[in-house]
Amino acid sequence: MPGNKNIKLYSKNLSFFYGNNQAVFDVSIEIPQHSIVAMIGPSGCGKTTFLRCFNRMHDLYPGNRYQGEIFFDNQNILSKNIDVTLLRSKIGMVFQKPTPFPMSISDNISYGLKLNGIKNKTEIKDRVESALRSSALWKEVKDRLKLPATGLSGGQQQRLVIARALAVEPQVMLFDEPTSALDPISTSKIEELAAELKKKVTIIIVTHNMQQAARISDYTAFMYMGKLIEYDETNVMFTNPQEKLSEDYITGRFG
Amino acid sequence: MERLRKRKIQNNIAIGFSLLASIIGLFWLVFILFDVLRHGLSFFDLNLFIEDPAPPGFEGGGMRNAFIGQFMITGCAIVIGIPFGILGGTFLSEYGRMTKIGRLISVISDIMISVPTIVVGTFIYSLMVKPLGHFSGWAGSVSLAMIMIPVTLRTTEDMMSLVPWSIREAAFALGAPYYKVIIQVVYRGAIAGILTGILLSIARIAGETAPLLFTSFNNSFISLNMEEPMASLTVTIFQYATGPYDDWHAMAWAASFVIILAILLLTVLGRLLVIFKYSSK
């Protein structure tokens, strides 16, 4: 467990149910500020489900139920009187497949800004540029900001989506296998980006790729069958895991 | 080898039959179009649009009243029908997506699409014409709108469902409320398809006669009052084509030509929208 660092986000005995199916069991985890936490585990172990609890994405579908607590800046975000749209502007998310909106590159980014009530055109323009710069996309797209975002390559789309999420200045970013649909070069660009981003935001990343977790994360959590098996600093997890299950998974004996 | 040859023969027979069927189908279509074109063009002149009908037995005259009536009835039908169709489709694809009432509406709307239009006409007759005591342009518009609603509703729902859920989730994840997700993201993704659906549904009602017979009826004089019986192209064609005078027949041909041309343009425009959408990607 992380030592006495500044804890940005933590869950306490969190369980999650799809209808009657329990997908997450009693998970307690602390996410230190300005760090990257990787969630690893075999397919269907509940890591994506767990991740989607942090921005209440499950609220979109009927019949889902949370149990336990998640604290974000010392506020329980699972409580009923939380403004979910406000929460989601503070906790951004990037999905497995790139999700550009059917509009131009710059409109994709200004969308979130406008949602947050920014109307001043020069401010929007500046923030579009700085968001694109911080996701290392500016040089590639600066001459075609008005063209449809769907014309970009997969890797560029994913960086655009990251820029879009960054533009609203979230404090936490949730990455749900952000590179699983990308080629190695785009993947390394996004990994570099994540390393850069952690100066500003706290990152939780779900990944199937253990090398990726080892490369970019400060802490690694291993989940299995909806339970958190082990959580420690990444170099400890990958060199000296305490649990037999984690060791078996990390060394590739199953999963 | 034997089996392979047999398969080739079977294949050729199947191709032969489907070719034959499409030729038979197309033949009549081309025949009708050509006939309308031939007759229609020979009677087609400017008077058709700028003159009202001459009394029986007199030469000349046009169908200005029918053109204007058709425009007004169809226009009002569009204004009434499109919002219901789009909002209904939005409900089915979004808010009512997983509800029983949503599925029920969906099934009913499918049935409505295949209801004979004359039934819609008699329905509006008993609802609007009989109680008010007279035919009216409004009744015509409402009956056409009722034919439009299920068509636009269904296409809107289908086109919106084609926008992947991951796109909606991404918009939600930025902190967008649902109505903004729908208006700014889903509609934008589905707009070309929805517009196509609207154009096709307009083309569909532009050629309807049966529901108007019972509702807006006809009017030999020009009228801009939707409270009164109103002329429409289709009913006028019906009346002229079944009438006893040769020049009536001629005008019916010309009007048929105009209406087919209009529907053709709408349909082509709809197709172009689809092509435009897919080429812009």
Side-chain angles (χ1 to χ4, degrees):
Chain A
M1 280 283 153
N4 40 15
K5 284 219 175 184
N6 221 345
I7 301 300
K8 184 72 186 168
L9 197 60
Y10 67 96
S11 72
K12 215 167 142 189
N13 305 110
L14 182 76
S15 294
F16 180 80
F17 303 80
Y18 289 111
N20 292 323
N21 282 339
Q22 187 166 5
V24 174
F25 294 81
D26 208 23
V27 173
S28 299
I29 193 169
E30 295 178 334
I31 313 288
Q33 194 163 17
H34 299 304
S35 63
I36 300 182
V37 174
M39 313 280 313
I40 59 170
S43 297
C45 72
K47 52 194 190 305
T48 293
T49 305
F50 179 65
L51 188 78
R52 288 162 65 94
C53 292
F54 286 101
N55 64 348
R56 299 263 303 262
M57 219 53 188
H58 297 299
D59 288 24
L60 297 178
Y61 308 93
N64 295 340
R65 189 159 58 85
Y66 310 88
Q67 203 176 21
E69 292 157 314
I70 296 177
F71 285 93
F72 172 56
D73 286 343
N74 296 318
Q75 202 178 12
N76 181 11
I77 59 173
L78 294 184
S79 88
K80 285 225 157 45
N81 44 27
I82 280 282
D83 180 356
V84 182
T85 55
L86 187 69
L87 172 75
R88 288 180 188 146
S89 68
K90 290 182 190 159
I91 302 187
M93 187 170 212
V94 173
F95 299 82
Q96 188 171 357
K97 285 200 186 117
T99 51
F101 297 147
M103 43 184 97
S104 74
I105 292 172
S106 63
D107 284 350
N108 254 280
I109 294 178
S110 57
Y111 181 79
L113 298 173
K114 286 176 188 156
L115 279 180
N116 285 279
I118 297 166
K119 294 200 179 88
N120 184 323
K121 279 198 178 136
T122 33
E123 190 186 350
I124 288 180
K125 207 172 153 229
D126 290 347
R127 285 180 67 169
V128 166
E129 179 174 341
S130 76
L132 284 170
R133 279 188 194 284
S134 55
S135 73
L137 194 60
W138 176 251
K139 279 187 193 141
E140 292 158 62
V141 302
K142 65 174 185 232
D143 298 323
R144 44 173 173 159
L145 291 175
K146 295 287 165 216
L147 295 182
T150 39
L152 297 172
S153 75
Q156 289 173 325
Q157 287 184 6
Q158 195 65 309
R159 276 181 288 149
L160 176 70
V161 169
I162 295 174
R164 186 174 69 194
L166 286 175
V168 296
E169 295 179 346
Q171 299 167 25
V172 177
M173 287 278 274
L174 309 171
F175 286 90
D176 184 6
E177 298 180 44
T179 61
S180 64
L182 303 182
D183 64 276
I185 293 172
S186 308
T187 300
S188 73
K189 278 191 183 152
I190 287 183
E191 288 180 5
E192 283 167 29
L193 187 56
E196 187 63 30
L197 287 179
K198 81 174 178 183
K199 291 176 193 159
K200 285 189 267 180
V201 296
T202 305
I203 296 175
I204 309 178
I205 178 170
V206 163
T207 178
H208 266 293
N209 181 332
M210 271 181 285
Q211 285 80 20
Q212 182 168 67
R215 277 194 300 266
I216 65 172
S217 69
D218 302 301
Y219 302 94
T220 297
F222 171 63
M223 282 185 77
Y224 184 65
M225 310 258 298
K227 297 189 178 87
L228 179 66
I229 305 297
E230 192 172 352
Y231 178 44
D232 211 327
E233 289 183 25
T234 297
N235 54 16
V236 178
M237 275 292 276
F238 280 89
T239 51
N240 188 21
Q242 302 300 306
E243 300 286 332
K244 175 93 173 51
L245 264 173
S246 339
E247 189 184 344
D248 286 353
Y249 182 72
I250 285 162
T251 52
R253 247 168 254 158
F254 76 99
Chain B
M1 267 343 265
E2 188 52 39
R3 210 186 298 161
L4 193 68
R5 236 186 61 199
K6 208 172 138 198
R7 219 157 60 185
K8 269 188 181 159
I9 293 171
Q10 283 173 340
N11 188 34
N12 287 337
I13 292 174
I15 291 178
F17 271 116
S18 43
L19 201 66
L20 194 68
S22 49
I23 287 173
I24 292 174
L26 277 176
F27 170 77
W28 295 108
L29 197 67
V30 171
F31 182 51
I32 293 169
L33 279 177
F34 185 74
D35 219 32
V36 171
L37 192 72
R38 191 166 60 95
H39 286 97
L41 270 181
S42 58
F43 303 114
F44 188 73
D45 61 11
L46 193 63
N47 285 344
L48 192 69
F49 299 100
I50 58 171
E51 281 188 29
D52 284 333
F58 286 79
E59 282 292 305
M63 289 179 149
R64 184 174 68 148
N65 59 335
F67 279 107
I68 290 175
Q70 183 84 39
F71 262 110
M72 289 182 64
I73 294 172
T74 315
C76 291
I78 292 168
V79 171
I80 301 168
I82 299 289
F84 281 108
I86 290 186
L87 291 176
T90 305
F91 175 78
L92 292 189
S93 143
E94 308 295 323
Y95 298 104
R97 174 172 43 98
M98 286 189 272
T99 58
K100 279 201 183 111
I101 181 88
R103 245 166 288 153
L104 186 71
I105 295 173
S106 198
V107 170
I108 291 175
S109 131
D110 278 354
I111 297 171
M112 284 282 295
I113 288 179
S114 38
V115 162
T117 50
I118 196 158
V119 176
V120 175
T122 46
F123 175 66
I124 298 297
Y125 177 84
S126 67
L127 209 70
M128 286 180 76
V129 178
K130 200 86 202 300
L132 296 177
H134 57 86
F135 296 106
S136 73
W138 283 123
S141 293
V142 171
S143 60
L144 290 186
M146 283 200 50
I147 298 166
M148 266 185 115
I149 289 172
V151 182
T152 37
L153 182 129
R154 168 55 66 181
T155 32
T156 304
E157 183 197 354
D158 287 348
M159 291 303 140
M160 289 179 74
S161 310
L162 283 180
V163 176
W165 258 92
S166 56
I167 301 281
R168 290 180 182 78
E169 285 193 348
F172 282 120
L174 285 171
Y178 204 169
Y179 75 96
K180 283 193 175 172
V181 175
I182 293 172
I183 295 171
Q184 296 166 342
V185 177
V186 185
Y187 278 164
R188 279 186 92 141
I191 186 74
I194 294 176
L195 278 178
T196 309
I198 289 174
L199 285 179
L200 294 182
S201 70
I202 295 174
R204 162 115 199 257
I205 58 161
E208 283 297 343
T209 321
L212 295 181
L213 268 175
F214 288 92
T215 50
S216 57
F217 196 57
N218 204 348
N219 194 336
S220 309
F221 305 99
I222 188 155
S223 165
L224 299 176
N225 186 355
M226 296 283 288
E227 304 276 345
E228 283 178 7
M230 211 173 217
S232 57
L233 273 181
T234 46
V235 174
T236 308
I237 292 170
F238 172 71
Q239 200 187 357
Y240 277 26
T242 52
Y245 311 105
D246 277 344
D247 58 332
W248 276 23
H249 297 165
M251 287 217 284
W253 278 115
S256 308
F257 170 67
V258 173
I259 218 166
I260 286 182
L261 199 68
I263 292 173
L264 190 72
L265 283 178
L266 278 174
T267 315
V268 169
L269 200 61
R271 297 275 165 212
L272 282 180
L273 263 176
V274 174
I275 294 169
F276 171 73
K277 185 189 169 180
Y278 288 103
S279 64
S280 71
K281 273 201 172 165

